[in-house]
Amino acid sequence: MDGIPLLFKYTVPDKLYEKFWEGLKKGEIYASRCKKCGSLYFPPQRDCNKCMSSDMEWVKLKEEGELMTFSIVKQKPQGFESFPDYTVAIVRNLDGVNLMCWVKGEPKVGKKVKLTTDGQRLICEVIE
Amino acid sequence: MNRKVAVIGVGNSKFGKRDDVTIRELAWEAVKEALEDAGLTQKDINITVIGSTAYRGTEIYPAPPVSEYCGFVGKSPIRVEAACATGSSAAFTAINLIASGLADIVMAIGVDKMTEVDTATSLAIGGRGGNYYWEFQLYGTTFPTYYALYATRHMAVFGTTEEDMALASVKAHKYASLNEKAHFRNRITVEDVLKSRVISWPIKLLDSSPISDGSAAVIFASEEKVKELKIDTPIWVKGIGYSSDTSYIAARGEWIGLEAARDAAVKAYKMAKVSPMDIEYATVHDCFSIAEIMAYEDLGFVDKGKGAELLREGQTEKDGRVAVNLFGGLKAKGHPLGATGLSMIYEITKQLREEAGPVQHSFKRYLALTHNVGGTGHYAYVMIFNR
Ligand SMILES: [Zn+2]
């Protein structure tokens, strides 16, 4: 027999990392940096766990990077059923930051890529 | 540890799609077997620790109903969770309760009913097994995707192939065919694996452990109780290692092995005062075929990058240099998250007592190890046992 369905509805804070979400709309990627000790955080953090300071600034990340690894998602999870197959990758940019993104172009480990956004998420374009 | 701790009883339900039971009856199968194995009743147990991830079942707070059904009301003050390493986190807690002197006999019960939700929902829950905000919401990662990122990198750096990975699945199914408690009893070939449906490339359906229901239970006791109860073959906990890693997988800096597992292994070897070369039998966390290859390397059985070679040479088969997963692994015995770590201790105990029937490995020093990973290396536990 059927059990009673449990529907979870979530609200997530949208002001917390607003600069990052605004950057996504403009094709820019922002990380946060501690003004006191210089630690760089991606995903951005509001608090520095190294020196305990919460005095942070936003830093725009460099767009050049290298494709470290990838996977092509064929069986999609709930919420992504309507997307065509997408490729998830990890890219290391020139700042030495490792970022998850979707891939545009033919992925290969070691390829040079350009980091950008599609307005909603990070994208890496493979440079031929 | 302040006091020595031994395994004195083990139980394991049949793994699989168990739509014939709720989580309560499922847990009882392992609990009953463990109590009978140790020759004890519920009143002999001081505390039970219940490990369950629970998100894929109707009982999202499973400890009270399980405890009530099994006759442990008043004795189940804690439920633990560490994703796919939940079973080991229950064992870890139970062992500590005894080592600290707080309790003398503790049962760790691991149980999960994972097939009560559909596959798309299950994938969406697994995809949250990292960092929801920065991974799943933006990129639609599934749990196989995370391990696939490791597989792609391992292939690019070391030349590991999809055929190599397939060998881990073939081995798992071969041994599961001899295990009446296994989810899958069928044998498969490398070609079957390569031809199976791609889930998250390079991971295919037959590279993946199934979504399973199941339970396992382990009774731990202090040295004094082992003597008092005249346990004839106690299995001693020699070493415990634990570690963890970042939730955001990209932050790790390298994707060729699980740093948490390496760290946990170093700690466990140090505590047990043994080296990787002393281990004769290991249960490793082969949730995906690449995970078994990385486990050989992370545990120090071979140098980094040589895992596939060890598998190809058949050195991890029964009576090989270090036999691995002779119960069929997570791949074919099944992987009910809460039960898996305790199910590994169940298998180690049967092997070290020489009660493993057709898959009995030959021991000289009677040293064995469990390697249980939670998430994609978010948690890791390595435990070393001897007879
Ligand atoms: Zn700082």
Side-chain angles (χ1 to χ4, degrees):
Chain A
M1 67 181 153
D2 288 340
I4 294 172
L6 178 61
L7 178 66
F8 287 82
K9 287 188 170 182
Y10 299 103
T11 307
V12 291
D14 46 8
K15 290 278 182 277
L16 188 53
Y17 297 112
E18 207 173 8
K19 180 82 177 172
F20 175 83
W21 305 113
E22 281 171 3
L24 278 187
K25 288 179 203 148
K26 295 184 289 187
E28 296 171 346
I29 305 159
Y30 286 92
S32 70
R33 183 166 60 197
C34 174
K35 281 189 187 175
K36 193 174 162 197
C37 77
S39 296
L40 187 65
Y41 289 94
F42 193 90
Q45 292 202 180
R46 193 174 67 175
D47 308 292
C48 179
N49 57 33
K50 300 200 173 62
C51 76
M52 316 298 273
S53 168
S54 294
D55 191 12
M56 311 291 279
E57 61 186 350
W58 287 100
V59 190
K60 195 174 159 214
L61 293 179
K62 295 195 174 80
E63 61 186 26
E64 302 87 355
E66 178 187 342
L67 200 153
M68 305 302 287
T69 187
F70 67 93
S71 173
I72 305 157
V73 182
K74 296 269 184 186
Q75 188 169 356
K76 284 129 210 157
Q78 202 183 65
F80 288 82
E81 299 96 332
S82 57
F83 282 85
D85 294 352
Y86 46 88
T87 302
V88 175
I90 297 174
V91 167
R92 177 170 299 159
N93 91 333
L94 277 187
D95 301 296
V97 176
N98 300 307
L99 309 109
M100 185 174 277
C101 53
W102 275 6
V103 179
K104 205 171 134 188
E106 192 67 35
K108 191 166 185 260
V109 173
K111 279 267 186 188
K112 294 284 168 256
V113 296
K114 179 175 176 280
L115 282 163
T116 177
T117 77
D118 65 359
Q120 288 175 302
R121 58 182 62 80
L122 306 187
I123 301 287
C124 75
E125 292 173 357
V126 179
I127 297 165
E128 290 308 326
Chain B
M1 295 198 290
N2 287 335
R3 302 205 296 169
K4 281 179 74 179
V5 180
V7 174
I8 64 164
V10 291
N12 198 124
S13 78
K14 164 98 175 81
F15 283 3
K17 184 168 170 57
R18 295 293 310 272
D19 46 16
D20 56 322
V21 285
T22 75
I23 197 166
R24 304 185 311 159
E25 297 83 10
L26 187 59
W28 175 246
E29 290 178 24
V31 168
K32 177 173 187 271
E33 187 185 348
L35 285 171
E36 287 175 351
D37 185 45
L40 300 178
T41 66
Q42 287 92 333
K43 70 176 179 351
D44 300 309
I45 308 292
N46 305 143
I47 300 177
T48 68
V49 179
I50 300 184
S52 186
T53 65
Y55 305 118
R56 292 171 176 85
T58 48
E59 292 284 10
I60 60 174
Y61 302 102
V66 163
S67 170
E68 176 190 2
Y69 193 87
C70 298
F72 289 118
V73 169
K75 296 184 174 192
S76 303
I78 187 168
R79 167 195 159 201
V80 295
E81 188 272 335
C84 330
T86 292
S88 286
S89 72
F92 182 80
T93 310
I95 292 164
N96 277 307
L97 283 164
I98 297 167
S100 69
L102 199 64
D104 290 309
I105 305 180
V106 182
M107 184 188 283
I109 304 168
V111 61
D112 258 310
K113 191 93 198 300
M114 297 179 61
T115 68
E116 290 181 352
V117 295
D118 59 278
T119 302
T121 307
S122 196
L123 281 169
I125 295 168
R128 283 159 163 87
N131 184 318
Y132 168 77
Y133 211 59
W134 297 95
E135 294 180 329
F136 182 76
Q137 166 151 332
L138 296 176
Y139 306 107
T141 39
T142 64
F143 200 71
T145 306
Y146 298 123
Y147 266 97
L149 292 169
Y150 277 88
T152 302
R153 185 77 185 161
H154 205 278
M155 288 163 72
V157 174
F158 300 118
T160 301
T161 64
E162 291 181 67
E163 287 82 355
D164 289 334
M165 292 188 263
L167 289 173
S169 297
V170 170
K171 176 167 84 69
H173 277 253
K174 179 175 90 178
Y175 289 113
S177 74
L178 302 167
N179 183 352
E180 61 187 21
K181 291 186 171 178
H183 190 152
F184 296 128
R185 308 286 311 272
N186 62 315
R187 296 190 61 156
I188 58 169
T189 64
V190 167
E191 200 181 15
D192 292 334
V193 181
L194 296 178
K195 280 186 174 166
S196 65
R197 181 162 57 85
V198 177
I199 303 292
S200 193
W201 188 90
I203 288 177
K204 296 165 285 299
L205 183 68
L206 291 180
D207 287 301
S208 317
S209 55
I211 298 168
S212 315
D213 305 323
S215 68
V218 176
I219 304 172
F220 295 94
S222 63
E223 191 172 16
E224 293 77 9
K225 283 290 172 188
V226 166
K227 285 179 187 152
E228 190 185 314
L229 295 167
K230 300 188 173 61
I231 303 293
D232 51 12
T233 321
I235 302 301
W236 298 100
V237 180
K238 287 276 285 180
I240 303 182
Y242 54 89
S243 194
S244 67
D245 209 335
T246 62
S247 70
Y248 182 63
I249 200 168
R252 294 180 187 176
E254 191 44 276
W255 305 271
I256 51 174
L258 303 177
E259 189 56 39
R262 284 200 286 271
D263 188 28
V266 167
K267 285 176 179 158
Y269 290 134
K270 190 176 174 207
M271 183 170 164
K273 298 190 181 72
V274 299
S275 90
M277 296 304 154
D278 297 324
I279 303 298
E280 299 170 282
Y281 178 64
T283 62
V284 309
H285 196 91
D286 63 325
C287 51
F288 297 98
S289 54
I290 184 62
E292 175 150 347
I293 290 171
M294 292 196 299
Y296 297 168
E297 301 169 1
D298 294 341
L299 290 167
F301 296 157
V302 283
D303 290 340
K304 199 71 225 162
K306 304 275 189 203
E309 208 174 296
L310 194 71
L311 185 60
R312 258 185 258 122
E313 288 169 355
Q315 303 224 42
T316 53
E317 300 276 348
K318 182 168 95 70
D319 301 326
R321 196 193 101 197
V322 50
V324 174
N325 288 2
L326 303 184
F327 60 99
L330 283 53
K331 168 66 196 87
K333 182 183 177 184
H335 184 22
L337 308 185
T340 293
L342 294 166
S343 151
M344 287 179 170
I345 298 175
Y346 170 91
E347 299 295 344
I348 289 275
T349 300
K350 294 285 178 186
Q351 283 284 344
L352 291 176
R353 285 179 185 166
E354 295 178 315
E355 293 173 355
V359 296
Q360 182 62 50
H361 181 57
S362 48
F363 288 92
K364 290 190 185 74
R365 303 185 55 185
Y366 294 91
L367 263 177
L369 166 158
T370 61
H371 160 276
N372 189 196
V373 175
T376 46
H378 297 107
Y379 309 87
Y381 293 95
V382 173
M383 300 188 189
I384 297 172
F385 299 85
N386 82 332
R387 199 170 103 176

